[in-house]
Amino acid sequence: MWGMAAISEEDRLDRVQTLRTLRRSYDLARPQRRILHSALTLVLVSTLVTLAGPLLLRYAIDHGIKDGNGRVLNWLIVVYLGITAFGYGVGRLQYLAINRAGEGFLRTLRLTVFERLQRQSMAFFDREKAGVLVSRMTNDIESMGELIQFGLLQFVSAFLLLVLAVIVLFVMSWQLALVALVVLPLLVLASVRFQKQSNRAYLDVREKVGDNLSTLQEGITGVRVIQAYGQQDARSRRFHSTNRALFDSHMHSVKVSTWYFGLVEFAGIAATGAIIGIGGWLVHRDAVSIGTITAFILLLANLFDPVQQLSQLYNTVQSSTAALHKLFLIVDAKPDVDEVEHPTPLPARGAIDVVDVTFSYETADRPALRGVSITVADGERLALVGPTGAGKSTLAKLMARLYDPSMVDGTCGTVSFGGVDLRQSSMSDLRRRIVVVPQEGFCFGGTIRENVRIARPTATDAEVERALASIGALERFADFPEGLDTEVRERGSRLSAGERQLVALARAALVDPAVLVLDEATSNLDPGTEAVVEHALESLMNGRTVIVVAHRLSTVRRADRIAVVDHGELVELGSHDQLVTLGGRYAALASAWEASQPH
Amino acid sequence: MDTPETLATRDGWRLLRRVLMEQRRGLIVGVIVGLLWAVGKVSVPQITKLGIDRGSEGNGSLLFWTGLVVAAAVIAGIFTAFRRWVAFRESRWIETRLREQIFDHLLRLHVGYHDRTQTGQLMSRASSDLQQLQAFVVMIPITLSNLAMIVAVVVLLFVSQPYLALFALAPLPLVNVLASRFSRRIHPAVLAVQQEQAQLATVVEESVSGVRVIKGFGAEGVQFAKVSTEADDIQRVSLEAARIRSRFLPALDVLPALGLVAVLGIGGHRVIDGAMTVGDLVKFNAYITMLIWPLRNLAMTVALGQRASVALMRVNEVLSTPSLVVDPESPTRLPAATIDRPVGEVRFRDVVFAYEGSDPVIDGFDLSIPAGHAVALVGATGSGKSTLVRLLTRFHDVKSGAIEIDGVDVRSMSLTDLRSAVGIVFEDTFLFHDPVRDNIAFARPEASDDVVHGAARLAGAHEFITALPEGYDTILGERGYSLSGGQRQRIAIARAIVAEPRVLVLDDATSAVDPSKEHEIREAMTTVMRGRTTIVIAHRPGTIALADTVVLLDGGRAVAVGSHDELLATNDRYRQVLAAWAVRDEDGDDDAPTPSPDSTTAVVESRRAVSRSADGEVV
Ligand SMILES: Nc1ncnc2c1ncn2[C@@H]1O[C@H](COP(=O)(O)OP(=O)(O)OP(=O)(O)O)[C@@H](O)[C@H]1O
Ligand SMILES: Nc1ncnc2c1ncn2[C@@H]1O[C@H](COP(=O)(O)OP(=O)(O)OP(=O)(O)O)[C@@H](O)[C@H]1O
Ligand SMILES: [Mg+2]
Ligand SMILES: [Mg+2]
C-alpha cells in the first residue's frame, strides 16, 4: 500500500544523494524521456483545466446571473462543457503517457538490476542475505511501480495545483485569500507533524508485518517438524503473539493519524464557513462578488486535497528514492570478479596454472589459501583432499574463477588456463571451458527436464534424456506418471532425497567442457546407484582435465595425482602410492578412511 | 443448478456474514458515529445558504451563522476521526482473528495437503487475501454513513428545488455506474499484475538461492531470459491495467462537473428569472461537490465487497479443508513401560500406500520390530524408506494394512501420544529461527540446560555449539547463523534425543557428516540407541552395523531380513544396493562374494571401469 510508505532514519537520503539518485533515474529513463516530457506537459495542462472550472463559474455568476444576462450565461456553459471534455481527453492521455513511461522505466530497471546482480561474484552472494536481494528486485521495484501509477502524477499535480490555486486566490481577492491562509498554515503544520508521526508508526507497522510474515512462513515450511514433535500449540501461541503485536501496531498508526483526519475535515469546513461568513460581509460592502465566493469555495476544496496528498506522498517519494538508491548501489557495485574490456580468447585446451595464490574470504580473519602453486596438465585428473575447512573447495572455486586471488603486499597470485590469465578472459568464454558441478541437489521449480537442461540450455530433449540415461536414472524418472515432465515442486519436494541428487548429477553429464571441477558432496545415494553414477561420471571425465574435491577413497584412488591441502596450504602432492610410501598426512588420512569402511 | 464456483462464492459470502456478525457491536457503533458525522457535514451548506440569504439582510447576525458553521465543522471533524478509528479497529481485528484461525488450521492439516500446496499460496491466503477483506470491512461504516449523507442531501435538494435537483443530480448516478464498472474491469487486470509479479519473484528467488548451480554452469543467460520474459509480461499487463484506468478515472473526475454545469445553466436562468436566490445556487454547488466522493466510494465499496468475497472464498477453502489425519473419537492410550515389559514395539502389517496419482510406493510391507531393537532400513534411492517413516508418524495414512506401536494401531491413539512416542530426524534438516537451545529443546521447551547439553553431547554437537559466537544462544535458521550440513544434522539428532521417544527414527541422519568424522558420532549413537527401539535409514555400512537387524526394502516390501553379514552373503539385491563388493574390492578385500551376473550387470560393469582406470591412470 503506497499510502503506508515509510522510511527509516538510516535510509533517508540527504539532498545531494536524492538529487543524484533522481538524476540517475532520469538518465536510465532515456528511452522514455520524450513520453515523460509530454506526460509532464499534460499534467500542467490538466491542472490549468482544473483551475479554470471555478473561474468560469465565478464569471458566470458575476457577469451572467447577477447581471441577468442569459446570453453570457449560455456562452459560458458551452465553454465550460468544452473545457470539461478537453479535460477528459487530457486526463486520459496523461494517464497513458505516465504509465507508459513508468512501466518502460521499471522494465529497464528490473533487467538492469538483475543483469548486474548475476554478474556479481560469489563473494557478493556470500555477503548479502538472499532475502534482502530478492526483496530489492521485487518489493522495492513494485512499490516504485505503485508510486508511478498513483503517486508521481499526484505529486506533480498536487504541487502545481497548490501553487497555482494560492496565486489565483490572491488575484481574485486578497482579503479572502488571507482568510483562507489563516487555515492553510495550520493545515500545513499539522500535515508536517502528521507526516513525521505516521512515518514512525508505519515503520513500526512494516517491521511488525515482516516479523509476522516470517513467523507465518516458518510455521508453514516447518510444519512437518512441528507436527512430528507435536508442537502445534506452542507455535500457534507464538504466532498469536506476533500477530497481536501487529494488530497493536496497526491500531497505533491509526491512533496517531486519527486526529489529523479529524482536523483536516474540521479545517475544510471551518475555512468554507469563514469564507462564507466574512465573504458575505465583504459582499455586503461590495468588496467582493458572490461569484468570487463561489469560486473560492470550490478552489479551497482543490487546495485541501493537495496538502493532504503531499504529506502522504512525501513519505512515498522519500522511501522510493531510498529504494532506488539501494538498487543503484547494486547496479554500481563493481563485480569483484569482473570482465576486462578487451578479453583474450582462451585456447580450446590447456593446462591450469595456479601460481602463488593467496585468498581470504571477506568475512574471515585469516586466509583460506596461502601461497598455493600447482599445475594441472591438460587431461590430468587431480584430487584435492584434506581435513574439513582446509581450503579444498576454495582452491577448486578459484580454479574456475568463482573468486579471484587476493592481493598480498601489492602482489597477487594468478590462475591461468592455457597460458591466459583467467582475469583476462571473458566470462562466457571461461564457462565454455571450465564448468563447476556442485553436487548439492538444488532443484529449481519446473519439470525434471528443465532442471537438467539448466546445465546447457541449448540441449535437445534427446540429449537431456541421454544425460539421464548415462547416469542410469532415465528409466526411473520416465516411469513417473508424467515422466520427465513431472513438476518437481518447490525445492524438488516431489522427489526423494536421492532422486534430487540424481537430477543434479545429470546436469554434469550434459555439459561438454575442457575442464570439469567437481566438488564431491557427501551423498544421499545408495551405494549401488552411486556406483552407476560414478561409472557414468568416469566416462564423462575421460579425455578432460578434472579437478575433484574428494571425500571418498574410491574417487581419490582414480586420480592421477593427489594434492593434500591443510590450513590453506598445499602440503603434499603425488600419486596415491607415492604419498602412501611417503607416510605423511595422506597416508594417515587414507588409513582413517579405510578404518571407516566395514569389515 | 449450482456450479461449484457459485457454491464456493456463496460459502465465501456466508463466511463473510458470520465474520461480520461476530463483530456487529463494533460495526454498529461505527455506523452510528458515521451518521453523526453525516449530520454535521450535511448541515454546513444549509447553514451557509441561510447565512448568505439572511445574513446579507441581517445586521451582525453573521457571527451567529459563522458560529454555527464552526460548530458543524467541529462535529464533523470529531466524528470523522472517531468513525475512522472504529472502522479500522473492527476491520483489523477481523483480519487478525482470521489470520490466527488460518495459521492454527494449517499447522493441523495433514502433510499430504502441504505436499501439494505451495508455501507462497498459503502465505497469500493469510496476508493479501485477508487484506482485501480488511479493505472492505473498513469501508462498511464509512459507506453506510456516506449512504445516509447521500440520501439526506438528495432529499434536501429535492425539497428545496425539485426541478433543479433533477437535472443537477442526473449525471451523478453515472458516477456510480461508471465506478462499479471500472472496479469490475480493473480487478482481473490487477490480479494479472500480481500474478506476474509473483512469477518474477519466484525466478529471482531461485536465481539467488541456486546461485552456485547457475554460476557453476554459467547459466546466467537462462535465468536472464526468464526474468526478461517475466518483466515483459509485467509491463504488458500493467499497461493493460493502465489503459482501463485511463478510460475510467478521468471520466470519474469529469462527470460531476456536468452536474455543476446543470446547476449553473438551469439554476442560473432561474436566478435571473427570480425563481431562486444566488444562495440557493451556491448551496447546490456545494452539495454537488460534496456528493462526488461518497458516490465514488459507494461504487468502490461494492467492488471491494466482490473482491473480498472472492478472497474469503479462497480463505474458506483452506479453513474448510478437513485434516485427513485426525485424532480418533476415543483414543487408546499406549501401555506404560513396566520392568518386565519394555515398550517401543513396532509392527507394520501388510502396509500398502501410494501418493496421490502415483503407483503404490509401499506394497505389502510386513515387519515386526521388538521393543528396544535397532533396525537398519536399507533400500535403493526412491524405494520408499522415507515414505515408511512418514506413515509411522501418520503424516499420511496407510491405504490398507496397519501400523502398530506396542500393539496399538497408530490410527487409534491420539496424535499427541503418537508423536511423542516417535522421534524423527528428517533427511532434510529444518531448524527454526531460534537459539540453538530452543531448537534442541523443541519437543520439551521446559527441559533444563543439563538435559539440553546432555543431548547435544550425545549427538556430538556440544563441542561446536560452544565454539559458536554465542554458544547455545546463537540464533539459527534461514535468517540466522548458517551451520554446515553435518552440524545441522547433529542438532536435529539432539532435538530427537531430548524428546525421549519410544521409537527413534534416523532418516539418513549422518549423510552430510564427513565419513572420516562419522565414527565419532557413531559411538554417541550407540549410547542413544541402547534400550530404545530405533529405525536407522542409512547407506553406509558403518552406520548399518549399529543395528541388530537389517531390513531390505525393495518393490515396496521387506524382501529380506537378517544381519548385515547374512544379507551380504545371501542376497544379491542387498549387495547390489550397497555395491558391497566394489567397496571391498577397493579395500583390497578379495574374498567378497561374486555377484550373480544377471541381476547386477550395471554394477559389474562399473566395477570393471573402476579397475581399468585405476590401473591405467595412476602415475
Ligand atoms: N563463503 C565463505 N565465507 C567465509 N569463509 C568461508 C567461506 N567458505 C569457506 N570459508 C572458510 O574458508 C576455509 C576453507 O573452506 P573450504 O570450503 O575451502 O574448506 P574445504 O576444505 O572444502 O572443507 P570441507 O571438506 O568441509 O568442504 C574454512 O575455514 C571455511 O570456514
Ligand atoms: N509427495 C510426493 N508425491 C508423489 N510422489 C512422491 C512424493 N514424495 C516421494 N514420492 C515418490 O515416492 C518414491 C519414494 O520416495 P521416498 O522419499 O520414500 O524414497 P526414499 O527411499 O526415502 O529415497 P532416498 O533414499 O532417495 O531418500 C519416490 O519415487 C518419490 O519420487
Ligand atoms: Mg568443501
Ligand atoms: Mg529418503
Side-chain angles (χ1 to χ4, degrees), chain A residues 126 361 363 366 368 387-394 403 551:
Chain A
D126 290 345
Y361 288 103
T363 47
R366 58 189 181 81
T388 300
K392 309 178 290 289
S393 303
T394 309
Y403 297 89
H551 288 278

Side-chain angles (χ1 to χ4, degrees), chain A residues 1-3 5 22 25 95 98-99 102-103 105-106 139-156 312-324:
Chain A
M1 248 200 306
W2 62 273
L22 291 178
S25 321
Y95 217 92
I98 200 89
N99 273 284
E103 292 301 331
F105 171 70
L106 288 185
N139 299 342
D140 284 1
I141 297 190
E142 272 161 37
S143 68
M144 225 158 328
E146 281 169 9
L147 173 73
I148 286 171
Q149 270 171 32
F150 307 106
L152 200 59
L153 208 98
Q154 285 183 6
F155 194 76
V156 176
Q312 307 229 355
L313 286 171
Y314 183 72
N315 286 339
T316 313
V317 170
Q318 279 221 326
S319 65
S320 301
T321 355
L324 261 177

Side-chain angles (χ1 to χ4, degrees), chain A residues 22-260:
Chain A
L22 291 178
R23 171 102 232 152
R24 262 310 277 288
S25 321
Y26 188 67
D27 287 344
L28 193 63
R30 192 181 300 275
Q32 286 84 34
R33 231 176 247 180
R34 287 252 312 263
I35 195 154
L36 187 67
H37 290 165
S38 46
L40 288 176
T41 318
L42 288 167
V43 170
L44 182 66
V45 173
S46 81
T47 309
L48 292 176
V49 170
T50 312
L51 284 173
L55 292 179
L56 276 175
L57 197 65
R58 169 174 180 243
Y59 195 84
I61 291 179
D62 289 348
H63 299 278
I65 299 172
K66 272 251 138 156
D67 301 350
N69 189 339
R71 263 179 55 110
V72 170
L73 184 60
N74 290 343
W75 264 114
L76 281 171
I77 284 169
V78 171
V79 174
Y80 204 131
L81 282 175
I83 282 205
T84 307
F86 181 65
Y88 172 73
V90 170
R92 210 174 149 163
L93 284 179
Q94 152 196 316
Y95 217 92
L96 282 177
I98 200 89
N99 273 284
R100 198 160 307 148
E103 292 301 331
F105 171 70
L106 288 185
R107 180 178 174 279
T108 317
L109 192 63
R110 285 195 173 98
L111 295 184
T112 314
V113 173
F114 188 73
E115 202 261 338
R116 295 298 298 188
L117 190 63
Q118 286 210 313
R119 273 230 220 146
Q120 295 298 330
S121 64
M122 282 310 301
F124 176 87
F125 287 97
D126 290 345
R127 202 163 52 217
E128 305 286 332
K129 287 225 179 276
V132 175
L133 291 179
V134 174
S135 100
R136 289 262 177 288
M137 265 297 290
T138 55
N139 299 342
D140 284 1
I141 297 190
E142 272 161 37
S143 68
M144 225 158 328
E146 281 169 9
L147 173 73
I148 286 171
Q149 270 171 32
F150 307 106
L152 200 59
L153 208 98
Q154 285 183 6
F155 194 76
V156 176
S157 75
F159 190 73
L160 273 177
L161 207 58
L162 191 62
V163 174
L164 291 178
V166 169
I167 294 176
V168 170
L169 285 185
F170 269 98
V171 170
M172 284 197 308
S173 156
W174 63 267
Q175 300 101 320
L176 278 186
L178 281 182
V179 173
L181 290 189
V182 169
V183 185
L184 204 60
L186 188 77
L187 193 63
V188 171
L189 278 182
S191 296
V192 169
R193 210 182 115 110
F194 164 68
Q195 179 266 321
K196 290 217 174 90
Q197 280 185 344
S198 67
N199 187 52
R200 223 171 304 141
Y202 292 158
L203 263 187
D204 186 59
V205 168
R206 196 165 69 180
E207 190 188 311
K208 295 286 172 7
V209 168
D211 286 353
N212 196 242
L213 283 182
S214 27
T215 323
L216 180 69
Q217 179 169 26
E218 196 176 59
I220 297 173
T221 46
V223 66
R224 292 165 186 82
V225 177
I226 294 170
Q227 289 197 359
Y229 288 100
Q231 290 302 305
Q232 292 92 323
D233 290 339
R235 284 284 135 178
S236 284
R237 268 198 305 280
R238 174 123 31 138
F239 180 71
H240 291 202
S241 85
T242 63
N243 200 36
R244 296 292 160 100
L246 174 61
F247 176 75
D248 292 342
S249 175
H250 270 309
M251 284 321 292
H252 178 71
S253 83
V254 172
K255 212 181 283 170
V256 300
S257 58
T258 291
W259 66 267
Y260 174 73

Side-chain angles (χ1 to χ4, degrees), chain B residues 227-263:
Chain B
V227 164
S228 94
T229 318
E230 297 303 342
D232 286 347
D233 286 350
I234 292 183
Q235 192 183 19
R236 188 172 40 77
V237 293
S238 301
L239 281 181
E240 181 53 37
R243 252 190 295 280
I244 298 174
R245 286 203 181 93
S246 78
R247 214 170 316 142
F248 286 94
L249 290 185
L252 285 172
D253 277 336
V254 156
L255 265 184
L258 294 183
L260 290 182
V261 172
V263 172

Side-chain angles (χ1 to χ4, degrees), chain A residues 107 218 257 276 284 445 528, chain B residues 48 56 84 108 206 232 433 577:
Chain A
R107 180 178 174 279
E218 196 176 59
S257 58
I276 292 170
H284 230 59
Chain B
T48 311
S56 358
R84 191 179 128 87
R108 286 158 185 83
E206 275 180 359
D232 286 347
H433 186 70
V577 167

Side-chain angles (χ1 to χ4, degrees), chain B residues 165-184:
Chain B
L166 195 65
F167 281 93
L169 293 176
L172 294 186
L174 266 183
V175 173
N176 197 342
V177 170
L178 215 61
S180 74
R181 180 171 307 170
F182 167 62
S183 307
R184 258 201 321 276

